[in-house]
Amino acid sequence: METNTYTVPDITVRKNQGLTHAADFTLPQPLARYSTEDHQTWATLYRRQSEMLPGRACDEFLQGLAALDVDADRVPDFNRLNEKLQAATGWRIVAVPGLIPDDVFFEHLANRRFPVTWWLREPHQLDYLQEPDVFHDLFGHVPLLINPVFADYLQAYGKGGMKAKNLGYLPLLARLYWYTVEFGLINTPQGMRIYGAGIVSSKSESVYCLDSDSPNRVGFDLQRIMRTRYRIDTFQKTYFVIDSFQQLFDATAPDFTPLYHAVEQQGVLGAGEIEPHDRIFHVGNRVGWGDSTDV
Ligand code: PHE
Ligand code: FE
């Protein structure tokens, strides 16, 4: 879920030239548009991440990747993948042209449909692109959707999104998505592991988030997260660590309406700030952050 005021990037326009989408922004996955080069790029990305993630990504993610039998050598066919996904948790993926309006996004999630950008980044963008593509959306997000607790969390988020939007508190809820669904870490008996889609789909951040001494790693705290700004243009300065998906689900189950009002009173925290009540796993040494005050 991203921002409202947004100009469609050139690559999105170019990839979707001549295609149309329905009112809910879905379209049939244009399978014929994938080139040989696209499939090779997918294979490269898949290989890089699947070599790196054992011992880094949480078991639930790795199990999901295996159980869904996500293709290693070509961009997956969404319909084929949906057979397994729907049987597992009732979720399915739908193809979209790129980022979609917040309310449309929430409506999909609330109905257990995950919108997946159908097109793939180009070879010169292997390591970074600004907008989500099929590798981020599918490889990053979809494996966890066969975990029943996470599956319910994401649906609840969709329902909560509508409410937050109507109340005018979407920016606070967006921080929760960012610091959990996109950049979350989970503490397991085997050690700290990744579950956030923005991390598992990035080669460099998959290493950085666990191995670097620069960022903070602090325990999940709902109000704390809602107060914390985030950076979309750098590695995260703070990662929030859950103990289990059940903890995440339970902590977010209550009505957020009173919480939004409380959080609003508390004031905003910078992306790299440490707070007195933080449950500390690691205080970042801030190496590489520069002098920017927006930490
Ligand atoms: N309980 C939240 C609310 O009332 C909804 C929600 C659930 C939001 C899970 C995010 C994640 O708004
Ligand atoms: Fe994402």
Side-chain angles (χ1 to χ4, degrees), residues 1-2 105 114 132 136-137 140-141 177 181-182 197-198 201:
M1 196 229 11
E2 268 88 303
F105 180 72
F114 193 80
H136 169 79
D137 283 344
H141 284 282
Y177 192 88
V181 177
E182 294 291 356
S201 60

Side-chain angles (χ1 to χ4, degrees), residues 71-83:
D71 303 66
D73 57 342
R74 55 188 299 109
V75 182
D77 179 329
F78 294 3
N79 289 335
R80 200 195 60 93
L81 195 139
N82 275 335
E83 290 170 19

Side-chain angles (χ1 to χ4, degrees), residues 175 178-179 216 218 223-231 234-240 266-275 278 286 289 292-295:
R175 290 175 181 153
W178 189 263
Y179 283 118
N216 305 313
V218 306
Q223 295 201 30
R224 160 66 158 101
I225 287 177
M226 286 189 179
R227 294 174 60 197
T228 309
R229 280 201 303 263
Y230 59 83
R231 299 286 302 251
T234 62
F235 292 147
Q236 298 310 301
K237 297 185 188 303
T238 302
Y239 296 94
F240 290 93
Q266 291 168 348
V268 178
L269 294 169
E273 272 183 73
I274 285 285
E275 224 265 322
D278 283 342
R286 303 173 165 242
W289 288 7
S292 161
T293 51
D294 184 26
V295 296

